[in-house]
Structures are given as C-alpha cells and as structure tokens.
C-alpha cells in the first residue's frame, strides 16, 4: 500500500515548485505565489478522481473525521456507531467533539456487521461510521437503508481504502461525508494530511471554515474575513499538498500494481483448503492494499503469524494481538485514561466498554491475517513470497 515506496521525481518537482516560490501556506499571499496553489489543485484532483463535488484538505485523517462530524453538527452526547476493528483514530476523532463512540461487532467483511449496527441504534444515535479497513468495504447499501430508516448520517472512513469502489463509485464519495488519510503509510501519501469529501454544499462550507479558525474565506484580504462560527486550525501546508498532488496522479497505477501482486498471492493461497478469504460485499472492488484471509482458529493464526515473521514474510498482521487496531488491547479507552476531565455524559456513555465482550469480532479477528501488498515488489519477489506463505500454512495445518 504505501505510496512512499514510489516517491520520486514527480513528488520532488511539485515540492520544488513550492520551495522555489516560498509560499508554504495554502491560503492568502496571492501576490507572492505566482499562481501556485497546490492544496487547491489537489482538492480539484481529488474531486475529479473520487467523483465527488467537494474535497476539503486538512492536516490529517484523524482531523478529517472530527471535521466531518463537526460539519454535520455532531457533538456533545451524540452517539456515533463504529466497528471494533479500526485504527485508534476513529474513536479519538469522535471523542474530541464530546460525542460518544459506540463500538459494535464486525463480520466476515472485517467491517461493520449490519445486525450489530441495527441493535446499537438509540435515540441518541446521530451517525453510522463504517471504516473500510484494509482496502475493502462495509455493505454500504444495507447501511444506507438503516440510515434512511432512522434519519442518521452515513460517514465513511476510507483512510485505508482510497482507490476501492462500491457499485462503481469510489469509496468516500458514497456517504453523506467521506474521510481520507494521506499519512505516510497510506496508498497516497502527503507525508501527513487528510481530506473530507462530500456532495453536500453546507457540509463542505462548514468543513472549509471549521478547519481554518472559522474564517469565512470571502474576498482576498484574510485579515478582513469574518467568523460565522468557531473553528480551529486543521490546515494542510502547501508542502504536504504538493507531495499529495504528485502521488494522487498515480492512484490508478498504484491500484493496478497492487492488484497484480495481490492476485498472485491470492491464487497461491487459494490452493490451501484451510484458507478462506474475507467477504467483499456484492458490487465491491477492493483497492488491493491488503490481502486478508482467515485460518481455521486462533491457535493456527498465531502460529502462522509468528512463522511468517521468522521466515521473513513481513508486513502481515494478526490484529488480535495488535495494540493499534483492535479493541482487545485498547485499555486506555476502556479505562478512560485522559489527560483532562471528560464530561459525565461521555463517562456514562462509555461504561458499556467495561463489560461488553465482542465474541463475534474475536471470532473473525482471531482467525484473520492481513498482509500488506507492497508497490515495490517485483513479480518474481511476489511469486517467491506466495510460495513461502503456502508452505508455511500447509506445514502448520498438516
Ligand atoms: C490512518 C487512519 C486514520 C487516521 O489518519 P491519520 O492521517 O494518520 O490521522 C483514520 N482511520 C483509519 C482507518 C486509518 O487507517
């Protein structure tokens, strides 16, 4: 997945444009910039490639999620439904606004289980946030039906699935709002950065102002701008946007390299009867950033995971034992270890984490291994890797 593997002349050229010109900020300084607007250009490129009316670049993917929620008016005491399998950023972004993350089970798609979502809806629920983990997606049609029936917003976190599509539409463009990350390990990197995507005019304007102190961005005199509402600084810099611009132009190429490498490994693993693959919802096409598969049980998965490491099969993750991506090891969240006091509403709202077990999630994550698909591998390297993986799994399962 990581776009940084193919960082090169194009990225340097865009970056040098900014350095030679000297305007490192995305807003203002119109006279000095000689027509260089990297952030604006990248936003246009995102809109065109991801087929969405508006893209607002921001400082990170985590910020993008907070801004998307804020833009839709979600805040203190509101509940947002999200899956147990994601990156810690997802609940952080919800909690930053004083809202309450409601974690629910995943299924064999490795994303939200529809029935678990349905059961979690209360009068406080404001949004459902599917997180398209490891290059594939949640069943967006089923979630849309739930959203419509209960008057909820659908907010996609597509940080790990840029380049994937659902029924022909790019992920991130389908919900009321979509969020992307452009951090260093994502398929398209800007070093750091993120984007909010939406077809909704009002949400876009809100995101645009909110991410720059609430400034209204009217006219060419920044000092004279007014503030329709409070905001913060979540701006991206021109330096980051320049790198992202060069990278985004290669999205299709990156996806096709990943597809080639993914297919070689998948075809090889398909020969092993004990291996099954993650379900991709009907109409979905992955970004091929990861190949995710299931083994018969937790014990086998643990053995395969350590054997992979011993034999140099790097970048394969057994998320059950991982501190970053799965609820099992998020003690800091369960124990509410914050640097500052949380509201009583949030403390109450998160009490369920003390007692709720997520057996169904454990069942899937315990047996799952997700292998990152790299861009820099040669076909020979991938074939060799695939053979080794098959050998290791066969040996452990025999
Ligand atoms: C990377 C990631 C984020 C956060 O992105 P940053 O740009 O690192 O803040 C959010 N959600 C998921 C699923 C991610 O993988």
């Amino acid at each position: 997945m990581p776009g940084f593997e193919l960082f090169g002349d194009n990225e340097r050229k865009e970056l040098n444009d900014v350095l030679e010109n000297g305007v490192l900020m995305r807003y203002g300084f119109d006279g000095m910039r000689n027509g260089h607007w990297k952030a604006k250009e990248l936003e246009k490129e995102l809109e065109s490639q991801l087929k969405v009316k508006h893209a607002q670049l921001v400082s990170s993917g985590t910020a993008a999620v907070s801004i998307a929620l804020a833009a839709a008016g979600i805040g203190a005491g509101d509940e947002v439904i999200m899956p147990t399998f994601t990156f810690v950023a997802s609940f952080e972004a919800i909690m930053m606004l004083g809202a309450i993350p409601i974690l629910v089970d995943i299924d064999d798609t490795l994303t939200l289980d529809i029935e678990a979502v349905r059961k979690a809806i209360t009068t406080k629920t404001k949004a459902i946030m599917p997180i398209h983990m490891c290059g594939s997606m949640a069943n967006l049609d089923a979630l849309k039906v739930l959203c419509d029936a209960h008057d909820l917003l659908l907010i996609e976190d597509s940080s790990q699935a840029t380049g994937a599509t659902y029924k022909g539409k790019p992920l991130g463009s389908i919900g009321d709002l979509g969020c992307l990350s452009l951090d260093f390990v994502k398929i398209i990197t800007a070093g750091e950065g993120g984007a909010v995507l939406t077809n909704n005019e009002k949400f876009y304007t809100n995101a645009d102002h909110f991410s720059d102190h609430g400034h209204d961005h009217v006219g060419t005199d920044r000092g004279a701008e007014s503030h329709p509402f409070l905001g913060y600084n979540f701006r991206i810099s021109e330096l980051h946007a320049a790198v992202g611009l060069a990278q985004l132009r290669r999205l299709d190429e990156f996806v096709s390299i990943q597809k080639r490498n993914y297919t070689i490994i998948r075809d090889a693993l398909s020969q092993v009867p004990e291996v099954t693959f993650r379900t991709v919802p009907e109409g979905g096409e992955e970004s091929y950033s990861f190949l995710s598969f299931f083994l018969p049980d937790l014990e086998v998965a643990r053995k395969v995971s350590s054997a992979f490491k011993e034999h140099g099969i790097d970048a394969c993750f057994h998320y059950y034992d991982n501190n970053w991506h799965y609820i099992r090891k998020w003690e800091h969240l369960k124990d509410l270890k914050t640097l500052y006091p949380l509201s009583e509403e949030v403390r109450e709202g998160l009490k369920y984490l003390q007692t709720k077990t997520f057996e169904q999630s454990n069942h899937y994550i315990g047996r799952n291994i997700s292998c990152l698909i790299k861009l820099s591998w040669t076909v020979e390297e991938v074939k060799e890797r695939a053979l080794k993986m098959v050998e290791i799994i066969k040996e452990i399962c025999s």
Side-chain angles (χ1 to χ4, degrees), residues 38-186:
K38 298 298 177 187
K40 278 190 206 296
E41 252 189 274
L42 178 51
E43 284 168 350
K44 288 278 157 285
E45 190 81 27
L46 279 167
E47 288 161 6
S48 123
Q49 289 219 30
L50 301 180
K51 300 191 175 73
V52 70
K53 261 199 205 145
H54 301 288
Q56 175 66 39
L57 282 170
V58 294
S59 51
S60 72
T62 312
V65 177
S66 284
I67 293 162
L69 293 166
I74 293 168
D78 292 338
E79 293 181 356
V80 178
I81 296 175
M82 57 165 273
T84 52
F85 175 47
T86 176
F87 178 45
V88 290
S90 308
F91 61 76
E92 294 166 358
I94 295 168
M95 289 177 69
M96 204 172 76
L97 301 167
I100 303 166
I102 301 296
L103 277 64
V104 306
D105 272 324
I106 56 155
D107 61 18
D108 62 357
T109 64
L110 297 178
T111 64
L112 285 174
D113 175 65
I114 305 303
E115 208 34 52
V117 172
R118 190 196 314 277
K119 285 190 192 134
I121 295 172
T122 71
T123 52
K124 288 183 170 182
T125 310
K126 287 285 159 31
I128 299 176
M129 187 161 82
I131 296 158
H132 306 310
M133 285 299 279
C134 301
S136 184
M137 69 225 69
N139 184 338
L140 288 168
D141 276 356
L143 291 176
K144 193 90 188 73
V145 168
L146 279 183
C147 285
D148 290 347
H150 297 270
D151 198 18
L152 306 174
L153 291 158
L154 184 63
I155 300 179
E156 295 174 81
D157 179 348
S158 189
S159 297
Q160 291 199 11
T162 306
T165 58
Y166 178 73
K167 308 211 163 158
K169 290 185 182 157
L171 293 190
S173 74
I174 298 162
D176 297 286
L177 289 138
C179 308
L180 301 184
S181 167
L182 302 170
D183 82 18
F184 193 54
V185 299
K186 299 305 197 301

Side-chain angles (χ1 to χ4, degrees), residues 222-373:
R222 260 175 84 70
E225 289 179 23
S226 69
H227 305 95
F229 46 78
L230 295 168
Y232 298 92
N233 176 5
F234 294 114
R235 290 187 305 261
I236 195 167
S237 79
E238 285 286 277
L239 292 168
H240 292 91
V243 176
L245 186 58
Q247 287 257 305
L248 183 63
R249 290 181 179 140
R250 299 180 74 182
L251 178 60
D252 290 346
E253 179 196 345
F254 287 1
V255 170
S256 71
I257 296 171
Q258 286 178 172
K259 185 171 184 175
R260 179 199 73 194
N261 293 347
Y262 168 111
T263 307
I264 294 170
I265 301 178
R266 182 169 175 137
D267 287 350
L269 292 190
S270 300
Q271 314 295 320
V272 186
E274 286 85 358
V275 170
T276 54
F277 296 95
R278 127 193 249 173
T279 298
V280 176
E282 200 188 321
E285 165 122 27
E286 297 179 70
S287 69
Y288 307 98
S289 297
F290 288 81
L291 176 63
S292 300
F293 56 93
F294 299 107
L295 292 158
D297 58 39
L298 174 61
E299 199 193 340
V300 171
R302 276 190 166 137
K303 279 186 188 157
V304 168
S305 172
S306 39
F308 276 1
K309 282 190 189 118
E310 271 165 40
H311 293 87
I313 307 291
D314 61 341
C316 287
F317 305 98
H318 184 221
Y319 288 112
Y320 190 79
D321 292 324
N322 171 295
N323 290 342
W324 287 25
H325 294 279
Y326 186 52
I327 182 152
R328 209 169 74 87
K329 300 279 190 96
W330 293 341
E331 298 308 333
H332 66 312
L333 170 65
K334 294 178 213 168
D335 297 340
L336 295 184
K337 294 215 171 128
T338 54
L339 289 176
Y340 50 86
L342 287 175
S343 75
E344 202 44 49
E345 216 169 9
V346 170
R347 303 188 75 83
E348 273 302 310
L350 288 176
K351 272 203 171 136
Y352 72 95
L353 289 173
Q354 297 291 331
T355 49
K356 189 164 176 185
T357 57
F358 292 94
E359 296 306 325
Q360 183 178 313
S361 300
N362 286 338
H363 172 74
Y364 290 109
I365 292 295
R367 296 184 301 123
N368 162 250
I369 289 182
S370 288
C371 293
L372 186 70
I373 301 295

